[in-house]
Amino acid sequence: MNIQLSDHFTYKKLFQFTLPSIIMMVFTSIYGVVDGFFVSNFAGKTAFAAVNLVMPFVMILGGVGFMIGTGGTALVSRVLGEGDKDRANRYFSMMVYGTLIIGLLLSVIGIAFMEPIAAFLGATEEMMGDCVLYGRLVIGFTAAFMLQNVFQSFLIAAEKPKLGLAATVAAGITNITLDALFVGVFRWGCAGAAVATGLSQCIGGILSLLYFIRPNKSLLRLTKTKLEKGPLLRAFGNGSSELMSNISSSVVSMLYNFQLLKYIGEDGVSAYGVLMYVQFIFIAIFIGYSIGSAPVISYHYGAGNHAELKNMLKKSVSFSVLAGILLTILAFLLAKPLAGIFVGYDKQLFDLTSHAFQLFSLSFLLAGFNIFASSFFTALNNGAVSAAISFLRTLVFQTSSVLILPFLLGVDGIWWAITVAEICACIISVIFLFARRRNYHYF
């Protein structure tokens, strides 16, 4: 069944349309986790800690791709809803070409400044070599990483979510296979993991690029275009919430690492790394749903279909609540088995990680709702509200929690910080939804 953006979405149809995006994001997270598994088990916990220390900076660079993808998709989908396909293709092409240029510039900057960045992040003398090596190799593929992130959104707007899934699966299989070969067999350590990740990103980004370069049957295709500052700035401004979320999350991760180095040491960074890898998988379900549903919301917003906006909001909140409950229970039950996969070779580290995960798991109850609320306003082309939710949720609430709670609860305060932040963010999200209801007529 061919599902179009203009359709009325029942629960079944919405599930079918967003499922490829959910699987795509989960698969992306899983093959990212594979890096951690192989580095931890074949290169040791120092190399594992080094990768985790550098990763927040790498994710900031990749977050620019999410900004362009989400903001650009919201703009292009709205224009499609208004019935102007030629203008939508011009805007789409401008976003893709801009991504390539920005990605190359960020690679050059990141590679040049990797050593002082690693020092700023708190790399110890033992970790510095692995930090710089891994960081420079991964950052060399930033343009491909950004393209992969951009096309994850645009393929949905083009009504080709299954193609996005296929590209992501191909990239994931490439990464897992090369990790096993480079790290597990050749024992190249951090360098092997970095190259495996970079080559897999090339698969995910370039395959999608080739699809749009050639004539295709989707809603979008690459055409001749020119720089139009207004639409470009609107897309960047609207998508800034996704960039803000990536930057804030990365800054918060750095702060977690600083606190953990202070209170526990290298083992704390390794334990937090395990939590982040598993969180990527769980949160990916919420992010995948938000990416998959956003073009539908933008389309109906552009078409002025208020009834369908109400329908999408109601069904999306229901999904977020149900998925949050199920994932919280699952995370609590799997805390020890998952910790054992990554750090089962070290009993002290295993005990620390499994305990931290059980406390951390409660954050999933509200995370899905908060992620959707931010994405919902991005889809409505209201980047200011979306950015406010993301900024408060990650940078303000998590930063405050991770700094203050350890004074009250000791090390456990660090693990409770994200749950406290999600509670505060939920309150803010509800306030914004009620405050803006008359502007968009979604209930």
Side-chain angles (χ1 to χ4, degrees), residues 296-339:
V296 180
I297 295 167
S298 297
Y299 184 95
H300 288 288
Y301 169 60
N305 190 345
H306 299 148
E308 196 59 30
L309 286 181
K310 294 178 183 178
N311 175 56
M312 288 296 296
L313 178 60
K314 176 184 175 182
K315 287 179 169 57
S316 297
V317 170
S318 298
F319 168 82
S320 300
V321 171
L322 179 60
I325 294 171
L326 292 175
L327 289 179
T328 298
I329 295 171
L330 189 63
F332 189 85
L333 294 176
L334 293 180
K336 289 186 177 181
L338 290 172

Side-chain angles (χ1 to χ4, degrees), residues 146-166:
M146 286 175 58
L147 278 177
Q148 180 173 319
N149 293 339
V150 164
F151 285 127
Q152 283 176 348
S153 296
F154 275 122
L155 280 165
I156 299 164
E159 296 179 348
K160 295 292 180 181
K162 291 181 181 179
L163 182 59
L165 174 60

Side-chain angles (χ1 to χ4, degrees), residues 95-171:
M95 303 299 166
V96 173
Y97 300 146
T99 300
L100 280 169
I101 295 170
I102 295 170
L104 292 173
L105 289 174
L106 290 178
S107 286
V108 173
I109 294 170
I111 290 171
F113 291 97
M114 192 63 246
E115 188 167 349
I117 288 169
F120 172 76
L121 294 176
T124 63
E125 185 177 345
E126 293 78 12
M127 295 161 61
M128 180 61 75
D130 284 333
C131 284
V132 174
L133 179 60
Y134 181 85
R136 283 177 171 166
L137 287 172
V138 166
I139 289 169
F141 295 94
T142 296
F145 185 28
M146 286 175 58
L147 278 177
Q148 180 173 319
N149 293 339
V150 164
F151 285 127
Q152 283 176 348
S153 296
F154 275 122
L155 280 165
I156 299 164
E159 296 179 348
K160 295 292 180 181
K162 291 181 181 179
L163 182 59
L165 174 60
T168 301
V169 169

Side-chain angles (χ1 to χ4, degrees), residues 7 28 38-39 81 128 145 150 202 216 313 337 352 402 420 428:
D7 289 350
T28 299
F38 278 101
V39 170
M128 180 61 75
F145 185 28
V150 164
C202 289
N216 64 78
L313 178 60
L352 172 65
V402 80
V420 173
I428 293 297

Side-chain angles (χ1 to χ4, degrees), residues 31-341:
Y31 78 70
V33 168
V34 170
D35 274 359
F37 169 78
F38 278 101
V39 170
S40 180
N41 285 276
F42 291 94
K45 65 181 183 181
T46 298
F48 184 50
V51 171
N52 294 326
L53 202 68
V54 171
M55 189 56 68
F57 177 69
V58 175
M59 295 308 295
I60 288 176
L61 300 185
V64 178
F66 278 115
M67 176 188 72
I68 299 172
T70 54
T73 298
L75 175 64
V76 169
S77 297
R78 192 194 75 193
V79 173
L80 286 172
E82 293 169 352
D84 194 342
K85 189 172 181 180
D86 289 338
R87 184 156 60 100
N89 280 321
R90 290 201 313 272
Y91 289 170
F92 165 65
S93 302
M94 180 173 60
M95 303 299 166
V96 173
Y97 300 146
T99 300
L100 280 169
I101 295 170
I102 295 170
L104 292 173
L105 289 174
L106 290 178
S107 286
V108 173
I109 294 170
I111 290 171
F113 291 97
M114 192 63 246
E115 188 167 349
I117 288 169
F120 172 76
L121 294 176
T124 63
E125 185 177 345
E126 293 78 12
M127 295 161 61
M128 180 61 75
D130 284 333
C131 284
V132 174
L133 179 60
Y134 181 85
R136 283 177 171 166
L137 287 172
V138 166
I139 289 169
F141 295 94
T142 296
F145 185 28
M146 286 175 58
L147 278 177
Q148 180 173 319
N149 293 339
V150 164
F151 285 127
Q152 283 176 348
S153 296
F154 275 122
L155 280 165
I156 299 164
E159 296 179 348
K160 295 292 180 181
K162 291 181 181 179
L163 182 59
L165 174 60
T168 301
V169 169
I173 292 173
T174 300
N175 189 55
I176 293 170
T177 303
L178 293 181
D179 264 330
L181 183 64
F182 294 164
V183 184
V185 178
F186 295 163
R187 301 301 175 96
W188 290 353
C190 290
V195 173
T197 297
L199 292 176
S200 71
Q201 290 165 353
C202 289
I203 297 293
I206 294 174
L207 280 181
S208 301
L209 180 63
L210 292 175
Y211 172 79
F212 285 112
I213 288 175
R214 299 169 58 85
N216 64 78
K217 296 180 180 180
S218 77
L219 290 181
L220 299 174
R221 65 187 60 191
L222 288 171
T223 62
K224 290 183 179 180
T225 188
K226 61 180 180 179
L227 178 64
E228 297 182 54
K229 293 182 181 179
L232 191 66
L233 291 176
R234 286 199 300 273
F236 283 16
N238 189 33
S240 64
S241 59
E242 314 309 317
L243 178 60
M244 177 61 66
S245 181
N246 272 272
I247 293 175
S248 300
S249 296
S250 297
V251 170
V252 169
S253 293
M254 296 173 194
L255 185 58
Y256 267 91
N257 287 331
F258 287 144
Q259 288 286 77
L260 288 165
L261 284 170
K262 174 183 175 182
Y263 280 88
I264 305 175
E266 188 179 292
D267 278 2
V269 176
S270 295
Y272 180 65
V274 175
L275 265 62
M276 288 300 96
Y277 281 124
V278 179
Q279 186 199 37
F280 289 160
I281 298 175
F282 282 32
I283 292 296
I285 294 172
F286 301 127
I287 295 174
Y289 177 83
S290 296
I291 290 174
S293 61
V296 180
I297 295 167
S298 297
Y299 184 95
H300 288 288
Y301 169 60
N305 190 345
H306 299 148
E308 196 59 30
L309 286 181
K310 294 178 183 178
N311 175 56
M312 288 296 296
L313 178 60
K314 176 184 175 182
K315 287 179 169 57
S316 297
V317 170
S318 298
F319 168 82
S320 300
V321 171
L322 179 60
I325 294 171
L326 292 175
L327 289 179
T328 298
I329 295 171
L330 189 63
F332 189 85
L333 294 176
L334 293 180
K336 289 186 177 181
L338 290 172
I341 292 174

Side-chain angles (χ1 to χ4, degrees), residues 1-5 7 13 17 158-162 217:
M1 178 174 61
N2 184 32
I3 302 175
Q4 298 179 326
L5 297 179
D7 289 350
K13 187 175 288 188
F17 190 76
E159 296 179 348
K160 295 292 180 181
K162 291 181 181 179
K217 296 180 180 180

